[in-house]
Amino acid sequence: MKTFQVDASQGVQAQSISVFHDARDRGLTIIPVLNKIDLPAAQPEQIAAQMQSTFGINPDNIIHISAKTGQGVEDILEAIITRIPPPIGSATAPLKAFLFDSFYDRYRGVISLVNVQEGILRKGDKITSCHTRKKYEVTELGIMYPEEVPTDSLRAGQVGYIACNMKESSEAHIGDTLHRVGEPVEPLPGFQPAKAMVFAGIFPVESSDFPKLEESIKRLTLTDRSVTVQRESSAALGQGCRLGFLGTLHMDVFRQRLEDEYDANIIVTAPTVPYRLIYRDNKEVFVSNPTEFPETADSTCKVKEIQEPVVKASIIVPEEYFGDMMELCFSHRAEELDHRYLDSGTNSSGSSRIMLICTIPLSEIVTNFFDQLKSRSSGFASFDYEDAGYKQSDLAKMSFLLNGNPVDALSIIVHRSVADDLARVWVKKLHKVIPRQLFEVPIQAVIGKKVLARETLRAMRADVTAGLYGGHYERKMKHLENQKEGKRKMKKVGKVNLPQEAFFDILSNKS
């Protein structure tokens, strides 16, 4: 069962289309609902016609509601009873339970929410997971009404909770199938373990705060099983953690929770995606950390092919912004662009809405793509995407040198077509935030041994001739030559330590 809700003032969004088709492909009964009909800007009749043209939904089957005022809510409950068929599971069949959610309780461990498809689940039963093969004993079970109400058993067709001494949230995989030990069953179709697609390094601003940061991350991951955590060490930023997220929104929410709930003062490195490296012996390796990315320009490199993840993106936008959206997509290396009209001026402005579909690299949308999308469309565009596999691409690792020494924390993976422009932008950023030294500091962006951009940070210079009054000009020249020679020697042995504040300014600046 799926209640398919559409905003009566906004209309069909890109996310609405993907959710509808996903529910239909899974064979779910869909109850169309038109929400927020009490708003002054609501257009129930026009949006209902829009849903009919886009999804083929009969307008007579759409329930008009207002969750704010309560209007029509009873109709949804009535529709659930009349339109949804009853469960068909058998109580005499072997136990088969579908795990669809979980949360962490500090006293009981992980509490799993399950839907019993077949059989009967009782307290004390020993169950196992089809995916992890780990075994558990059910210590408590019950139904949500809406709070937890303990019961003796859960039968086929019932939805409830179970506590089984599961210690970590990472063991509860959404979509997994649970069965009784010694009675194996066929796993329910469609299960795929959560896969991190966006990675970022998180470091404390003060290196001494790392133990506190690590403990905060561990506590947050108890309630967020999809985050992957790995320790990381950087010569510039010190100890930190490299985290994997499901997407950019997931990363932003996690970062915000770290700052709000645990008062963490952190530096988040530029987000990256997992790249696939295919070697000459056909071995495949996935790399998400730029410091581990090989120098492809080196003749000794054994990498045959580099592939990057791509997504199928859907953008719904009013017709007057279509040109800006096309330009935005092309500037982010989008391919296979296609479009179609969703309606013919059914909204209040009288303009048609267009659905733009394209294939775009995931690395292009993890930075500021969404901000530009909303800016260029005055906030009217909606955006959604789904995984489309991997595709061969011309990528390289760009490193940044300060006085000839690489700064590993600033390394990024770029497409060669935009490498020159990106190098100039980042070098100018560094030139602004790095404090001046006692010697001249060259700032370079390089790919392999090729320098793409350079800025020179001038040295701080004392006025060594201030105390000289009169005399031959050669006296001044002698002091200036001695100063120049000293700075030349200092440049050979001097080290540029990029302060944490400079990293924070660079990585937090999205421009």
Side-chain angles (χ1 to χ4, degrees):
M1 184 271 289
K2 174 71 178 179
T3 57
F4 178 58
Q5 297 191 28
V6 175
D7 193 318
S9 61
Q10 298 289 334
V12 176
Q13 305 288 295
Q15 299 89 335
S16 308
I17 295 176
S18 63
V19 168
F20 176 84
H21 289 298
D22 187 39
R24 189 178 63 180
D25 293 343
R26 294 175 182 269
L28 300 179
T29 301
I30 299 174
I31 301 177
V33 176
L34 201 56
N35 194 11
K36 300 184 181 179
I37 60 173
D38 61 303
L39 294 180
Q43 300 173 307
E45 290 77 16
Q46 290 92 330
I47 303 303
Q50 197 179 93
M51 293 172 68
Q52 183 182 22
S53 63
T54 306
F55 306 113
I57 297 174
N58 187 344
D60 296 334
N61 295 331
I62 300 175
I63 303 174
H64 295 219
I65 73 162
S66 169
K68 181 179 179 181
T69 64
Q71 178 185 348
V73 174
E74 291 183 0
D75 296 336
I76 294 182
L77 300 177
E78 184 68 27
I80 291 174
I81 296 172
T82 57
R83 301 187 193 182
I84 306 300
I88 58 175
S90 171
T92 58
L95 174 68
K96 182 188 288 188
F98 173 68
L99 194 157
F100 63 88
D101 200 1
S102 68
F103 59 91
Y104 188 82
D105 185 277
R106 60 185 302 181
Y107 300 109
R108 296 176 295 170
V110 179
I111 306 299
S112 301
L113 302 183
V114 298
N115 174 18
V116 180
Q117 302 279 324
E118 293 179 345
I120 301 176
L121 181 61
R122 296 183 177 89
K123 183 177 180 180
D125 283 354
K126 289 182 170 58
I127 59 174
T128 185
S129 160
C130 284
H131 177 63
T132 64
R133 302 296 180 186
K134 292 186 176 181
K135 300 177 181 179
Y136 309 96
E137 181 178 351
V138 179
T139 58
E140 182 185 343
L141 78 168
I143 59 174
M144 308 295 287
Y145 193 69
E147 302 297 328
E148 296 177 4
V149 178
T151 60
D152 295 329
S153 63
L154 291 175
R155 296 177 175 271
Q158 283 190 303
V159 175
Y161 72 92
I162 61 171
C164 54
N165 291 326
M166 193 180 289
K167 302 299 182 185
E168 296 184 5
S169 297
S170 58
E171 299 177 29
H173 294 268
I174 305 303
D176 196 5
T177 304
L178 304 177
H179 63 87
R180 195 172 278 107
V181 174
E183 299 179 8
V185 297
E186 190 69 24
L188 294 166
F191 168 69
Q192 288 183 343
K195 182 172 63 174
M197 291 303 294
V198 176
F199 295 82
I202 294 184
F203 297 86
V205 173
E206 296 293 336
S207 299
S208 58
D209 291 340
F210 173 70
K212 179 184 174 183
L213 174 64
E214 188 177 34
E215 182 64 25
S216 302
I217 291 174
K218 284 182 179 179
R219 290 185 180 181
L220 271 184
T221 52
L222 288 175
T223 57
D224 193 345
R225 73 196 70 81
S226 55
V227 177
T228 62
V229 183
Q230 184 180 1
R231 271 200 178 191
E232 184 179 31
S233 179
S234 167
L237 296 173
Q239 285 286 336
C241 294
R242 189 156 195 86
L243 306 185
F245 305 94
L246 299 179
T248 52
L249 178 61
H250 187 201
M251 181 182 72
D252 290 339
V253 170
F254 192 90
R255 175 191 57 79
Q256 196 67 44
R257 289 187 64 190
L258 265 181
E259 294 175 347
D260 293 347
E261 298 178 21
Y262 296 95
D263 198 25
N265 197 7
I266 57 176
I267 297 172
V268 182
T269 62
T272 61
V273 298
Y275 298 95
R276 178 189 287 165
L277 307 180
I278 302 177
Y279 287 83
R280 293 172 187 171
D281 58 358
N282 292 325
K283 183 178 72 171
E284 293 186 2
V285 177
F286 288 88
V287 174
S288 60
N289 193 335
T291 58
E292 299 172 0
F293 200 84
E295 296 287 354
T296 53
D298 192 347
S299 59
T300 61
C301 181
K302 298 181 180 180
V303 175
K304 179 177 68 174
E305 184 179 314
I306 301 174
Q307 297 180 351
E308 64 176 340
V310 294
V311 296
K312 184 179 179 182
S314 303
I315 302 172
I316 295 180
V317 65
E319 187 178 19
E320 58 265 31
Y321 300 106
F322 180 63
D324 291 327
M325 291 300 102
M326 292 282 286
E327 182 183 347
L328 176 65
C329 291
F330 279 125
S331 66
H332 285 78
R333 300 193 285 127
E335 298 176 347
E336 303 173 13
L337 270 75
D338 190 15
H339 71 279
R340 62 185 176 90
Y341 284 84
L342 289 180
D343 47 52
S344 300
T346 58
N347 52 17
S348 59
S349 63
S351 65
S352 300
R353 297 199 311 160
I354 297 177
M355 181 174 180
L356 177 65
I357 301 173
C358 64
T359 302
I360 188 169
L362 180 60
S363 59
E364 293 289 337
I365 63 176
V366 299
T367 49
N368 60 350
F369 180 83
F370 190 74
D371 293 341
Q372 293 184 31
L373 179 89
K374 289 297 185 182
S375 175
R376 294 196 184 194
S377 66
S378 301
F380 288 107
S382 62
F383 173 70
D384 190 36
Y385 64 90
E386 60 185 27
D387 184 25
Y390 278 78
K391 190 173 183 179
Q392 184 178 359
S393 187
D394 188 12
L395 302 169
K397 179 174 77 170
M398 182 184 295
S399 303
F400 295 91
L401 309 181
L402 298 184
N403 197 27
N405 298 316
V407 183
D408 57 346
L410 294 179
S411 298
I412 54 176
I413 300 171
V414 299
H415 194 268
R416 291 184 185 272
S417 63
V418 296
D420 291 339
D421 295 335
L422 205 60
R424 283 190 283 270
V425 171
W426 275 74
V427 163
K428 288 180 179 178
K429 275 188 188 180
L430 287 168
H431 185 266
K432 290 180 181 178
V433 301
I434 296 176
R436 291 177 65 184
Q437 309 291 317
L438 293 174
F439 52 92
E440 189 178 83
V441 178
I443 305 169
Q444 299 168 305
V446 300
I447 291 181
K449 296 181 179 179
K450 181 181 178 182
V451 179
L452 302 180
R454 171 181 171 138
E455 290 280 343
T456 302
L457 191 66
R458 294 181 58 188
M460 288 192 296
R461 176 177 173 272
D463 189 358
V464 294
T465 61
L468 300 179
Y469 298 98
H472 199 269
Y473 79 95
E474 289 184 355
R475 292 180 61 200
K476 293 185 177 181
M477 293 300 299
K478 183 177 180 181
H479 282 73
L480 292 173
E481 286 296 329
N482 288 339
Q483 184 188 48
K484 188 185 298 183
E485 182 64 25
K487 291 190 179 295
R488 191 179 297 116
K489 291 180 179 178
M490 193 182 298
K491 183 178 179 180
K492 292 180 181 179
V493 298
K495 292 184 179 180
V496 182
N497 293 321
L498 201 58
Q500 303 280 39
E501 293 77 11
F503 276 105
F504 189 81
D505 290 342
I506 296 169
L507 298 174
S508 63
N509 186 4
K510 295 182 180 180
S511 62

